[in-house]
Amino acid sequence: HFDGTQLGQKELKEALEKGNTDSRIEHMKTILKLHLNGEPQSAMLMTFIRFVLPREDHTLKKLSLYFLEIIDKTDASGKLLPEMILVCNFIRNDLQHANEYIRGCTLRFVSRIREQELVEPLTDSVMNNLDHKHVYVRRAAILALLALYERFPHLFPDAPELVEGVLEKETDVAAKRNAFLMLFNCAQERAVQYLRKAMDLNAEMSGESFRLAL
């Protein structure tokens, strides 16, 4: 059970609104612990959106994404909360962020989204990361696309073709493995075609992680 200081919502809101980065980090941790211990923190959502979600600090970004992962995103009838429109804008911006760490963390969060209405505006931003210059982002983008395609294939009709293109030009072994797994799980015929082409060309399938994928 969480034994930390039991602050009221008023105090928590004031800390998020007026605190410095370190204070916001500590109070976000408190909010997360309270929520996970059965004390719902949905009432903090708008304060969180206004005063925490826009912050650039990496620790706050991670805590923000975790909060968004565990908080209720729909009302009692299953309809997406109106606040999620604002959240979606922030997520889309972070999928296009100049910092590759923030992009990668955001892609991992997106891969866990199960609300179609929240995913729909993010489809292009997710797929655009398949060609990012940093391999960390490309790996995360392929895994995010795999998870989302399995849930919402109609939102990503071109995903298998795009990932096949990634597989053919990718040089990083881990990213190549992720791309092959995506095809194997979602478009096996394309995966088989790739293997045949690779064998015909006597292509080198090097790297332990890629061999394990096979």
Side-chain angles (χ1 to χ4, degrees):
H1 183 74
F2 175 52
D3 296 321
T5 302
Q6 299 298 299
L7 298 174
Q9 285 193 344
K10 181 181 178 182
E11 289 80 10
L12 287 171
K13 285 182 178 181
E14 287 181 353
L16 296 185
E17 290 174 9
K18 302 175 182 178
N20 59 22
T21 296
D22 289 339
S23 174
R24 287 189 171 106
I25 288 172
E26 291 308 309
H27 286 90
M28 276 304 300
K29 289 178 180 179
T30 298
I31 288 168
L32 289 168
K33 290 174 182 177
L34 289 169
H35 188 84
L36 292 171
N37 275 280
E39 299 182 40
Q41 298 296 305
S42 298
M44 302 297 299
L45 184 56
M46 202 62 223
T47 302
F48 161 79
I49 291 171
R50 291 178 61 198
F51 297 100
V52 179
L53 199 51
R55 303 293 165 180
E56 293 288 325
D57 179 81
H58 287 187
T59 301
L60 267 182
K61 284 288 185 188
K62 287 181 68 175
L63 293 172
S64 295
L65 293 172
Y66 189 38
F67 179 72
L68 289 173
E69 186 176 341
I70 65 176
I71 202 77
D72 289 333
K73 302 173 195 61
T74 57
D75 60 20
S77 66
K79 187 176 180 180
L80 197 70
L81 295 173
E83 293 92 339
M84 288 299 123
I85 296 173
L86 298 173
V87 168
C88 190
N89 288 334
F90 279 108
I91 296 303
R92 185 168 52 222
N93 288 339
D94 282 348
L95 288 172
Q96 301 167 1
H97 202 282
N99 182 275
E100 67 273 13
Y101 174 81
I102 290 176
R103 283 202 192 207
C105 288
T106 307
L107 283 162
R108 284 199 297 274
F109 163 73
V110 170
S111 73
R112 301 184 183 105
I113 298 177
R114 298 189 175 275
E115 294 79 17
Q116 179 175 314
E117 290 177 84
L118 200 50
V119 173
E120 284 176 331
L122 305 175
T123 54
D124 288 345
S125 296
V126 170
M127 290 190 291
N128 287 342
N129 278 298
L130 293 172
D131 294 320
H132 195 269
K133 63 181 179 179
H134 288 283
V135 66
Y136 170 75
V137 176
R138 298 199 303 273
R139 291 176 187 172
I142 295 167
L143 291 178
L145 190 55
L146 169 59
L148 294 173
Y149 185 82
E150 289 179 334
R151 263 177 246 134
F152 313 109
H154 57 289
L155 296 183
F156 301 91
D158 299 328
E161 182 180 354
L162 287 172
V163 171
E164 185 177 21
V166 168
L167 183 57
E168 291 178 352
K169 66 183 180 182
E170 181 60 68
T171 57
D172 177 75
V173 172
K176 207 172 185 72
R177 175 203 61 201
N178 292 352
F180 182 79
L181 287 174
M182 161 78 184
L183 285 187
F184 183 79
N185 283 283
C186 301
Q188 288 195 3
E189 186 175 336
R190 288 181 182 273
V192 171
Q193 288 176 353
Y194 169 77
L195 288 177
R196 285 174 177 166
K197 187 186 299 183
M199 287 187 290
D200 288 344
L201 295 174
N202 196 27
E204 182 183 0
M205 294 182 185
S206 61
E208 184 66 25
S209 59
F210 188 76
R211 290 200 298 273
L212 286 173
L214 301 178

